[in-house]
Amino acid sequence: MKIAVDCRMLGMSGIGVYLENILYYWLETNKAHSFVLIGDEKKLSKLKFGENCSVVSCSSSVFSFGAMFLFPVKEVNNCDVFYSPTFGIPFGIKVPVYSTIHDVVFLDVKGLVGGLSLLVRKLFYCRAIYASKKIFTVSEFSKTRIKKHFNTNKEIVVAYNGIRHDLFEWKNKKRSSDLYKNYLLYVGNIKRYKGLDILLSAVKAMSDVKLIVVGKYDDMRTSDKELLNESSLNENKVVFVGQKSDEELYSLISDAEALIQPSRYEGFGIPPLEALFLHTKVIISDIPVFKEVYSKLPVIFFENGNSNDLQKKIEGISNEKSPDCIIPEIYSYKNTAAIILKNITIE
């Protein structure tokens, strides 16, 4: 097949990482197919690809109405199929479309975006579901939520997230972080649904605890800024370090006493998986998707939203052994890439 791939989100966190790892395995192991990669040429140049790939330059935003009409559909329509790693599907595509919808957080979490922004996202979701021959998602939980909101009969295929390919390489040359010692770690954005306020409340009630917070704080809403300001009062206890390079992040995860993921909502939740891979203790909320993904892995659950229960679990972490587990193959981007490719067919 000749597959056109929307690569405009390459280089970004979240979906960008997902796409990068799928492309890594597609380009490494599927020489029978050819790929037309559409996106920023500079970012795409970092990928390793051979004669079975070509690049079409496109720097437009994924989620804008203008980009829906300005996408290079002529090049796409010269291919057999089109794959998008997200729900921003341009108009004018005549070949079969396949897309990944990671979650419907904007619909499930009230107040995350304003009324007009919510309406726009609903339109994008509807467009993706209507245009796609098949839809991929990252958990059974997300699959049920998509069906709940859109009542669609389209086939939704679950292909879980996994361990990044470069994390395997990093683990073999593991380096420690010299910046911090004896700390708990939070990785994620400053958003209410991420549950950082629950973690901060638990830490506030404890003595001799240091919390390192890693995450991107761009485009914060007023409530998120208030949370950041409140939690910055005790700089000795809570340290906000912003975004880190992949290698810095891996070092911070590897050296942490425990990674805490107190989310109220996730479509999957990757940091706990990476922490387990690096033999770091993990404490997570007992939300449905975490129960789905992590119930058979050596994590510690606390009651969602209960900072007192989280505090107890943190206080007992010293009595827990470091996890020594093999991450199941279903949580592998190699497996994810294979599932998607298997389900992509020509009309």
Side-chain angles (χ1 to χ4, degrees), residues 50-62:
E51 295 179 355
N52 64 330
C53 282
S54 60
V55 172
V56 175
S57 180
C58 180
S59 58
S60 65
S61 170
V62 176

Side-chain angles (χ1 to χ4, degrees), residues 18 61 100 144 155 207 228 303 320:
Y18 173 89
S61 170
T100 296
T144 62
E155 183 177 356
S207 59
L228 181 60
E303 183 183 354
E320 299 290 336

Side-chain angles (χ1 to χ4, degrees), residues 184-212:
L184 304 173
L185 184 66
Y186 166 90
V187 179
N189 294 329
I190 306 293
K191 299 293 182 184
R192 288 284 171 177
Y193 74 90
K194 290 289 189 177
L196 179 57
D197 59 311
I198 302 166
L199 175 55
L200 293 171
S201 179
V203 168
K204 184 178 180 181
M206 302 172 67
S207 59
D208 301 322
V209 172
K210 180 181 286 292
L211 173 66
I212 306 298

Side-chain angles (χ1 to χ4, degrees), residues 300 311-320:
I300 300 165
Q311 180 185 340
K312 291 177 183 177
K313 296 298 169 39
I314 293 173
E315 290 172 339
I317 198 72
S318 60
N319 298 321
E320 299 290 336

Side-chain angles (χ1 to χ4, degrees), residues 166 170 173 175 244-252:
D166 63 349
W170 182 90
K173 57 178 182 180
R175 298 191 199 89
K244 291 292 182 181
S245 68
D246 290 345
E247 290 202 351
E248 289 173 323
L249 177 60
Y250 300 156
S251 293
L252 285 169

Side-chain angles (χ1 to χ4, degrees), residues 277-296:
F277 181 74
L278 295 172
H279 308 300
T280 297
K281 300 171 188 177
V282 171
I283 302 176
I284 55 178
S285 56
D286 61 355
I287 57 176
V289 72
F290 282 171
K291 286 288 190 178
E292 174 191 341
V293 175
Y294 293 104
S295 61
K296 294 182 180 179

